[in-house]
Amino acid sequence: MIYIFTASYHEASAWIGYFHLKKDARQTRFQTFYSENMDICLTVTGSGMISAAAAVSSICTANGAGKGDFLIHTGSCAAVGAARAAVGDLFYCHKITELTTGKTFYPDVLYRHDFCEAALVTGAKPYDVSEVSHTSALLLYDGEAAAVYQAGSYFFAPHQMAFLKIVSDCREAAAVTPEQVRRLTDPHMGALAGYVKMLYEIGQKERQSDPVPEALLKQLCRDLYCSASMEASLRQHIRYCILAGIDYEGRILEMYRKNRLSCRNKREGKRCFEELKRRLL
């Protein structure tokens, strides 16, 4: 399933119309819309980080989101960097920074797309030039993405989350009307629908079979003294290599040839585990 999250109904309306989504009357906490074959679930979270995190957690828990599913966070944003963007421009966000804590998150841009890319900052209040570091590059600003990423990470791997933001203003949020926000998405729906279709097809293939070779994973976990969290991380790294066409087997064999594997204890295993992750990526 493709899980789409927007902050407002005006941001969601183009998606609802394009995919003919129907409102789920059973959902009383958040406005939720489904496609007839249940392959798309769109949720209006409300504005702000707390609302966004609560909506992602609630909907994904109720639907059992996970393997083969994807999260898309979309909606409007401000362009605040020195390199200005035009109102209506669509960007794929490859870096998300939470202004309050300074934490930075990196969704894996694993699948091909035709969108321009930009970094995004999420703040708890309207943009203030004194709080955001000056940059000559393009920088976007919104109120939900960092929270969506953190809540989504409990259900999705980094390559299963995409953040697509449309510029609604250039530091003049107060002048933007709901009707203007509603119209921003319409010109992009063809490209967005194509991207959703691609993700859905990829998800179908992932559900049918996990590409990670279990025998190799089991051997590595034994030789690295992996904990459960290390095993999950290693599985994700190998899956990434397979999907990206990286020769992961050759890099693993090289560590064996150099006697970096197998390890003698858990302490050595942790050091080799970090080295292996660097080699794989």
Side-chain angles (χ1 to χ4, degrees), residues 70-114:
F70 288 90
L71 178 155
I72 294 176
H73 174 58
T74 187
S76 60
C77 67
V80 301
R84 294 294 185 90
V87 171
D89 285 352
L90 170 66
F91 293 95
Y92 189 114
C93 302
H94 59 260
K95 175 183 176 181
I96 302 169
T97 301
E98 186 178 59
L99 184 60
T100 307
T101 62
K103 293 180 179 179
T104 298
F105 312 99
Y106 297 91
D108 279 349
V109 188
L110 183 59
Y111 306 113
R112 293 184 183 275
H113 65 81
D114 297 323

Coordinates of all heavy atoms in Angstrom, one line a residue, residues 70-114:
F70 N 4.9 1.9 1.1 CA 5.7 3.1 1.0 C 4.9 4.3 1.6 O 3.7 4.3 1.6 CB 6.0 3.5 -0.5 CG 7.0 2.5 -1.1 CD1 6.6 1.4 -1.7 CD2 8.3 2.9 -1.1 CE1 7.5 0.5 -2.3 CE2 9.3 2.0 -1.7 CZ 8.9 0.8 -2.3
L71 N 5.7 5.2 2.2 CA 5.1 6.4 2.8 C 5.5 7.6 1.9 O 6.7 7.8 1.5 CB 5.6 6.6 4.2 CG 5.2 7.9 5.0 CD1 5.3 7.6 6.5 CD2 6.1 9.1 4.6
I72 N 4.5 8.4 1.6 CA 4.8 9.7 0.8 C 4.2 10.8 1.7 O 3.0 10.8 2.0 CB 4.2 9.7 -0.6 CG1 4.8 8.6 -1.5 CG2 4.3 11.1 -1.2 CD1 4.2 8.5 -2.8
H73 N 5.1 11.8 2.0 CA 4.6 13.0 2.7 C 4.7 14.1 1.7 O 5.7 14.4 1.0 CB 5.5 13.3 3.9 CG 5.2 14.6 4.5 ND1 3.9 14.9 5.0 CD2 5.9 15.8 4.7 CE1 3.9 16.1 5.5 NE2 5.1 16.7 5.3
T74 N 3.6 14.8 1.5 CA 3.5 15.8 0.4 C 2.7 17.0 1.0 O 2.0 16.9 2.0 CB 2.9 15.3 -0.9 OG1 3.0 16.3 -1.9 CG2 1.4 14.9 -0.7
G75 N 2.9 18.1 0.3 CA 2.2 19.3 0.7 C 3.0 20.6 0.4 O 4.0 20.5 -0.3
S76 N 2.5 21.7 0.9 CA 3.2 23.0 0.6 C 4.3 23.3 1.6 O 4.5 22.7 2.6 CB 2.2 24.1 0.7 OG 1.6 24.1 2.0
C77 N 5.2 24.2 1.1 CA 6.3 24.6 1.9 C 6.8 26.0 1.5 O 6.3 26.5 0.5 CB 7.5 23.6 1.8 SG 8.2 23.6 0.1
A78 N 7.7 26.6 2.2 CA 8.2 27.9 1.9 C 9.6 27.7 1.3 O 10.3 26.7 1.7 CB 8.3 28.8 3.1
A79 N 10.0 28.5 0.4 CA 11.4 28.5 -0.1 C 12.1 29.6 0.6 O 11.8 30.8 0.5 CB 11.4 28.7 -1.6
V80 N 13.2 29.2 1.4 CA 13.8 30.2 2.3 C 15.3 30.4 2.0 O 15.9 31.3 2.6 CB 13.6 29.9 3.8 CG1 12.1 29.8 4.1 CG2 14.2 28.5 4.1
G81 N 15.9 29.6 1.2 CA 17.3 29.8 0.9 C 17.6 31.0 0.0 O 16.6 31.5 -0.6
A82 N 18.8 31.3 -0.1 CA 19.2 32.5 -1.0 C 18.9 32.2 -2.4 O 18.5 33.0 -3.2 CB 20.7 32.8 -0.8
A83 N 19.0 30.9 -2.8 CA 18.6 30.5 -4.2 C 17.1 30.2 -4.2 O 16.6 29.2 -3.8 CB 19.4 29.2 -4.6
R84 N 16.4 31.2 -4.6 CA 14.9 31.2 -4.6 C 14.4 30.2 -5.6 O 14.9 30.0 -6.7 CB 14.4 32.6 -4.8 CG 14.7 33.6 -3.8 CD 14.1 33.3 -2.4 NE 14.3 34.3 -1.4 CZ 13.5 35.4 -1.3 NH1 12.4 35.5 -2.0 NH2 13.8 36.2 -0.3
A85 N 13.2 29.7 -5.3 CA 12.4 28.9 -6.2 C 11.1 29.6 -6.5 O 10.7 30.5 -5.8 CB 12.1 27.5 -5.5
A86 N 10.5 29.2 -7.6 CA 9.2 29.8 -8.0 C 8.1 29.1 -7.3 O 8.1 27.9 -7.0 CB 9.0 29.7 -9.5
V87 N 7.0 29.9 -7.0 CA 5.8 29.3 -6.4 C 5.3 28.2 -7.4 O 5.2 28.5 -8.6 CB 4.8 30.4 -6.1 CG1 3.4 29.7 -5.8 CG2 5.2 31.3 -5.0
G88 N 5.0 27.1 -6.8 CA 4.5 26.0 -7.7 C 5.5 24.9 -8.0 O 5.2 23.8 -8.5
D89 N 6.8 25.2 -7.7 CA 7.9 24.2 -8.0 C 7.8 23.1 -7.1 O 7.5 23.2 -5.9 CB 9.2 24.9 -7.9 CG 9.6 25.8 -9.0 OD1 8.8 25.8 -10.0 OD2 10.6 26.5 -8.9
L90 N 8.0 21.9 -7.6 CA 7.9 20.6 -6.8 C 9.3 20.1 -6.6 O 10.2 20.1 -7.5 CB 7.1 19.6 -7.6 CG 7.1 18.1 -7.1 CD1 6.4 18.1 -5.7 CD2 6.4 17.2 -8.1
F91 N 9.6 19.7 -5.4 CA 10.9 19.2 -5.0 C 10.8 17.9 -4.2 O 9.9 17.7 -3.4 CB 11.7 20.2 -4.2 CG 12.0 21.5 -4.9 CD1 11.2 22.6 -4.8 CD2 13.2 21.5 -5.7 CE1 11.5 23.7 -5.5 CE2 13.5 22.7 -6.3 CZ 12.7 23.8 -6.2
Y92 N 11.8 17.0 -4.5 CA 12.0 15.8 -3.7 C 13.0 16.1 -2.7 O 14.2 16.5 -3.0 CB 12.5 14.7 -4.7 CG 12.6 13.3 -4.1 CD1 11.8 12.3 -4.6 CD2 13.5 13.0 -3.0 CE1 11.8 11.0 -4.0 CE2 13.5 11.7 -2.5 CZ 12.7 10.7 -3.0 OH 12.8 9.4 -2.5
C93 N 12.7 15.9 -1.4 CA 13.6 16.3 -0.3 C 14.5 15.1 0.1 O 14.1 14.1 0.6 CB 12.7 16.7 0.9 SG 11.6 18.1 0.5
H94 N 15.8 15.4 -0.1 CA 16.8 14.3 0.2 C 17.4 14.5 1.5 O 18.2 13.6 2.0 CB 17.9 14.3 -0.9 CG 18.6 15.6 -1.0 ND1 18.3 16.6 -2.0 CD2 19.6 16.2 -0.2 CE1 19.1 17.6 -1.8 NE2 19.9 17.4 -0.8
K95 N 17.1 15.6 2.2 CA 17.7 15.8 3.5 C 16.6 16.6 4.3 O 16.1 17.6 3.9 CB 19.0 16.7 3.4 CG 19.6 17.1 4.7 CD 20.8 17.9 4.5 CE 21.4 18.5 5.8 NZ 22.6 19.4 5.5
I96 N 16.4 16.2 5.6 CA 15.4 16.8 6.4 C 16.0 17.2 7.8 O 16.5 16.3 8.4 CB 14.1 15.9 6.6 CG1 13.5 15.6 5.3 CG2 13.1 16.6 7.5 CD1 12.5 14.5 5.4
T97 N 15.9 18.4 8.2 CA 16.5 18.8 9.4 C 15.4 19.3 10.4 O 14.6 20.1 10.0 CB 17.6 19.9 9.2 OG1 18.6 19.5 8.4 CG2 18.2 20.4 10.6
E98 N 15.4 18.8 11.6 CA 14.5 19.3 12.6 C 15.1 20.5 13.3 O 16.1 20.4 14.0 CB 14.2 18.2 13.6 CG 13.1 18.6 14.6 CD 12.8 17.4 15.5 OE1 13.7 17.0 16.2 OE2 11.6 16.9 15.5
L99 N 14.5 21.7 13.1 CA 15.1 22.9 13.6 C 15.2 22.9 15.1 O 16.2 23.4 15.7 CB 14.2 24.1 13.2 CG 14.7 25.5 13.5 CD1 16.0 25.8 12.9 CD2 13.7 26.5 13.1
T100 N 14.3 22.4 15.9 CA 14.3 22.4 17.3 C 15.5 21.7 17.9 O 16.1 22.1 18.9 CB 13.0 21.8 17.9 OG1 11.9 22.5 17.3 CG2 12.9 22.0 19.4
T101 N 15.8 20.5 17.4 CA 16.8 19.6 18.0 C 18.1 19.6 17.1 O 19.1 19.2 17.6 CB 16.3 18.2 18.0 OG1 16.0 17.7 16.7 CG2 15.1 18.1 18.9
G102 N 18.0 20.1 15.9 CA 19.2 20.0 15.0 C 19.4 18.6 14.4 O 20.4 18.4 13.7
K103 N 18.6 17.7 14.7 CA 18.7 16.3 14.1 C 18.4 16.4 12.6 O 17.6 17.1 12.1 CB 17.7 15.4 14.7 CG 18.0 15.1 16.2 CD 17.0 14.1 16.8 CE 17.3 13.7 18.2 NZ 16.3 12.8 18.8
T104 N 19.2 15.6 11.9 CA 19.1 15.6 10.4 C 18.8 14.1 10.0 O 19.4 13.2 10.5 CB 20.3 16.1 9.7 OG1 20.6 17.4 10.1 CG2 20.2 16.0 8.2
F105 N 17.9 14.0 9.0 CA 17.4 12.7 8.5 C 17.6 12.7 7.0 O 17.4 13.7 6.3 CB 16.0 12.4 8.9 CG 15.7 12.7 10.3 CD1 15.1 13.9 10.7 CD2 16.0 11.8 11.3 CE1 14.8 14.2 12.0 CE2 15.8 12.1 12.7 CZ 15.2 13.3 13.0
Y106 N 18.0 11.5 6.5 CA 18.2 11.3 5.1 C 17.4 10.2 4.5 O 17.8 9.0 4.6 CB 19.7 11.0 4.9 CG 20.7 12.1 5.3 CD1 21.2 12.2 6.6 CD2 21.0 13.1 4.4 CE1 22.0 13.2 7.0 CE2 21.9 14.2 4.8 CZ 22.4 14.2 6.1 OH 23.2 15.2 6.5
P107 N 16.3 10.5 3.9 CA 15.5 9.5 3.2 C 16.4 8.9 2.0 O 17.1 9.7 1.3 CB 14.3 10.2 2.6 CG 14.2 11.5 3.4 CD 15.6 11.8 3.8
D108 N 16.5 7.6 1.9 CA 17.3 7.0 0.8 C 16.6 7.3 -0.6 O 15.5 6.9 -0.8 CB 17.4 5.5 1.0 CG 18.5 5.2 2.0 OD1 19.2 6.1 2.3 OD2 18.5 4.0 2.4
V109 N 17.3 8.0 -1.4 CA 16.8 8.3 -2.8 C 17.3 7.1 -3.6 O 18.2 7.2 -4.4 CB 17.4 9.6 -3.3 CG1 16.7 10.0 -4.7 CG2 17.1 10.7 -2.3
L110 N 16.6 6.0 -3.5 CA 17.0 4.7 -4.1 C 16.4 4.5 -5.5 O 17.0 4.0 -6.3 CB 16.6 3.6 -3.1 CG 17.0 2.2 -3.6 CD1 18.5 2.1 -3.7 CD2 16.5 1.2 -2.5
Y111 N 15.2 5.0 -5.7 CA 14.5 4.8 -6.9 C 14.6 6.0 -7.8 O 14.5 7.1 -7.4 CB 13.1 4.4 -6.7 CG 12.9 3.2 -5.7 CD1 12.4 3.4 -4.4 CD2 13.4 2.0 -6.0 CE1 12.3 2.3 -3.5 CE2 13.4 0.9 -5.2 CZ 12.8 1.1 -3.9 OH 12.7 0.1 -3.0
R112 N 14.7 5.8 -9.1 CA 14.8 6.8 -10.1 C 13.5 7.7 -10.1 O 12.4 7.3 -9.9 CB 15.0 6.3 -11.5 CG 16.3 5.5 -11.7 CD 16.4 5.1 -13.1 NE 17.7 4.3 -13.3 CZ 18.9 4.9 -13.5 NH1 19.0 6.2 -13.6 NH2 19.9 4.2 -13.7
H113 N 13.8 9.0 -10.2 CA 12.7 10.0 -10.3 C 13.1 11.2 -11.2 O 14.3 11.4 -11.4 CB 12.2 10.5 -8.9 CG 13.3 11.2 -8.2 ND1 13.5 12.6 -8.4 CD2 14.2 10.9 -7.3 CE1 14.5 13.0 -7.7 NE2 14.9 12.0 -6.9
D114 N 12.2 12.0 -11.6 CA 12.5 13.1 -12.5 C 12.3 14.4 -11.7 O 12.3 15.5 -12.4 CB 11.6 13.1 -13.7 CG 11.9 11.9 -14.6 OD1 13.1 11.5 -14.7 OD2 10.9 11.3 -15.1

